[in-house]
Amino acid sequence: MIDPADALRQKVARALEEDLGTGDVTSEATVPEEARARARVVQKQPGVVYGLEVVAETMRQCGADDVDNLVVEGQWREHVPAEVLLASGPARALLAAERTALNFLGHLSGVATLTSRYAEAVEGTGASILDTRKTTPSQRWLEKAAVAAGGGINHRMGLYDAILIKENHVAAAGGIANAIRAARAANPGVFLDCEVESLDELRAAIEAGADRVLLDEFTDAMLREAVALAAGRVPLEVSGSVDLARVRAIAETGVDCISIGALTKHVRAIDLSMRFDNR
């Protein structure tokens, strides 16, 4: 198993290599080698900041001496601009780290912020917000950590840690009951979620013993019928056609959780900047 700290170091190193290449020709030409600076990272729009450890690792790899967080991650911040991190060291090092650090921080904060909006929208209903595998390649673990920071719950990390039987598995296995039986036989004890597209399929999944059933593209009326049909025997998950305008109504049908690919797929980075401190 990969050590998380080592994975972060490798991730940041690759990102810096992509940006720096053979060197920062602008800073090398304009900034004296001996120049030192202190830089402040500023949050410029409301939201949830997440990814400060990635920023710190980026700064360290570029040669910054000190990096200090000025805020607690995972909290909604309405009053902006707000300083979130302070770094000091060679001016060239800070400039080399700037764009890569802000790219990470802006994107991950965007994930946390969007998740927070969804979590707030369903507050008090008893429904949880889940993420999906619709993540940026090689960034899944970071994006899922940002989801958790924003108040969401992580679905399976990948294909290896939970079973999710979808329509193509059902078709290949010859039906929902066959698919669940085969999955149970091959992987006893592994959590099993099964996607269904109708109330009849829901009945089949419940009878076959799914641990959770995913209701795909159900209308609100169908969701209420599904909740009544399940009668608490199995947790119900909703997926498909979920947005902020509809998520509260979905949650109020009585389902247990709502999985939303948009949390990591349709992300708008929050606006941050880095400025040298002249004070």
Side-chain angles (χ1 to χ4, degrees), residues 40-50 77-84 98-99 101-111 113 117 267-275:
R40 295 177 184 271
V41 175
V42 177
Q43 178 181 348
K44 300 170 68 176
Q45 68 183 95
V48 177
V49 165
Y50 181 77
R77 191 163 292 99
E78 187 68 26
H79 300 293
V80 292
E83 296 172 348
V84 299
E98 177 181 5
R99 179 40 49 202
L102 293 182
N103 283 350
F104 275 122
L105 187 61
H107 176 70
L108 295 175
S109 297
V111 172
T113 295
R117 292 186 187 278
V267 180
R268 183 174 182 178
I270 73 166
D271 193 14
L272 301 119
S273 66
M274 189 187 88
R275 290 296 180 96

Side-chain angles (χ1 to χ4, degrees), residues 9 54 104 153 187 213 218:
R9 284 190 293 270
V54 189
F104 275 122
I153 296 175
N187 299 282
V213 179
F218 275 42

Side-chain angles (χ1 to χ4, degrees), residues 50 108 111 115 130-135 139-150 152-158 161 264:
Y50 181 77
L108 295 175
V111 172
T115 303
L130 306 183
D131 56 23
T132 72
R133 288 168 47 242
K134 295 177 181 177
T135 54
Q139 296 241 93
R140 179 171 298 170
W141 58 285
L142 286 172
E143 292 177 347
K144 282 182 172 281
V147 166
I153 296 175
N154 295 148
H155 209 295
R156 59 181 180 161
M157 185 60 68
D161 60 341
T264 51

Side-chain angles (χ1 to χ4, degrees), residues 78-246:
E78 187 68 26
H79 300 293
V80 292
E83 296 172 348
V84 299
L85 181 141
L86 176 64
S88 59
R92 287 185 180 181
L94 299 179
L95 290 167
E98 177 181 5
R99 179 40 49 202
T100 297
L102 293 182
N103 283 350
F104 275 122
L105 187 61
H107 176 70
L108 295 175
S109 297
V111 172
T113 295
L114 183 57
T115 303
S116 180
R117 292 186 187 278
Y118 274 97
E120 181 182 27
V122 302
E123 189 172 357
T125 65
S128 301
I129 299 298
L130 306 183
D131 56 23
T132 72
R133 288 168 47 242
K134 295 177 181 177
T135 54
T136 307
S138 82
Q139 296 241 93
R140 179 171 298 170
W141 58 285
L142 286 172
E143 292 177 347
K144 282 182 172 281
V147 166
I153 296 175
N154 295 148
H155 209 295
R156 59 181 180 161
M157 185 60 68
L159 294 173
Y160 56 88
D161 60 341
I163 296 167
L164 176 52
I165 296 171
K166 296 175 71 69
E167 68 276 8
N168 289 330
H169 302 110
V170 171
I176 285 176
N178 287 344
I180 292 177
R181 277 196 298 268
R184 287 291 192 211
N187 299 282
V190 177
F191 185 85
L192 190 154
D193 200 349
C194 181
E195 179 185 77
V196 302
E197 297 177 333
S198 69
L199 293 171
D200 285 340
E201 288 188 346
L202 171 59
R203 290 186 186 92
I206 293 173
E207 290 170 5
D211 293 316
R212 186 167 68 207
V213 179
L214 189 161
L215 311 172
D216 184 45
E217 297 288 357
F218 275 42
T219 66
D220 291 355
M222 290 174 65
L223 291 176
R224 286 188 286 272
E225 288 187 65
V227 169
L229 176 61
R233 288 177 291 169
V234 61
L236 298 179
E237 173 186 351
V238 176
S239 181
S241 300
V242 179
D243 57 25
L244 276 169
R246 185 182 173 225

